[in-house]
Amino acid sequence: MSTIFTKIIRGEIPCHKIAESETHIAFLDINPIAEGHILVVPKQETDYIFDLPDNLLGDTMVFAKKVAAAIDKSLKPIRTGIIVEGLEVPHAHIHLVPIYREGQDVSLRNKANVSDERMKEIAKIVSKEVKQ
Ligand code: AMP
């Protein structure tokens, strides 16, 4: 059975898309721990990130770097952090989490309560800054 991220990649379920290439997609996390929390996902369906082939693992980090640059430019956090957990969705992904202040709770169990309206707005302003 396809993962929820493969369904997003195929357009079968909606997402707030930030960027897409032939091999990767980035979209807003549906349960953000901070405004602008984004998932970077290789389209190849592999559960454990360290099972990705070396080139795809490297490309995933490079794709994440581009998205992080767009977050930094548009949302102006102190910096953008990365988290890899992968315990919920069995499809490798990187969490990009803008850090707005020292001591910010970056646990994935945190909840930021971002309205759908604001999610739309964030997707618009961040995606505009992604350099192809
Ligand atoms: P983990 O697998 O533990 O790294 O966490 C999976 C992440 O995927 C969680 O932060 C979820 O909020 C997020 N997530 C699950 N379903 C969706 C979805 N349909 N759209 C966006 N993010 C999702």
Side-chain angles (χ1 to χ4, degrees):
M1 206 178 76
S2 307
T3 67
I4 194 149
F5 292 167
T6 293
K7 289 181 181 155
I8 288 174
I9 290 160
R10 290 190 190 136
E12 291 166 8
I13 58 174
C15 71
H16 293 287
K17 188 154 76 177
I18 303 297
E20 184 167 13
S21 71
E22 229 174 86
T23 52
H24 291 81
I25 190 167
F27 49 85
L28 292 184
D29 194 296
I30 205 169
N31 288 306
I33 66 167
E35 277 199 357
H37 174 182
I38 290 169
L39 301 176
V40 171
V41 183
K43 291 184 178 177
Q44 178 178 309
E45 210 179 77
T46 298
D47 177 359
Y48 185 36
I49 195 164
F50 292 126
D51 284 336
L52 289 173
D54 289 355
N55 62 334
L56 189 52
L57 178 60
D59 290 351
T60 302
M61 194 54 83
V62 172
F63 193 83
K65 180 179 175 180
K66 279 189 197 172
V67 176
I71 294 172
D72 290 342
K73 187 152 187 217
S74 57
L75 301 177
K76 303 199 179 350
I78 302 170
R79 58 178 47 182
T80 292
I82 69 171
I83 300 171
V84 176
E85 194 179 86
L87 297 177
E88 187 188 316
V89 177
H91 187 147
H93 54 280
I94 293 174
H95 297 255
L96 294 177
V97 181
I99 315 279
Y100 296 104
R101 56 178 177 81
E102 279 184 41
Q104 178 179 318
D105 184 351
V106 289
S107 159
L108 288 178
R109 268 139 291 281
N110 193 24
K111 288 272 168 296
N113 291 324
V114 184
S115 69
D116 200 51
E117 203 51 43
R118 182 68 181 144
M119 294 278 273
K120 278 188 198 136
E121 201 173 82
I122 290 169
K124 201 166 152 194
I125 60 177
V126 178
S127 59
K128 224 171 55 191
E129 296 299 342
V130 178
K131 305 270 177 285
Q132 291 313 318

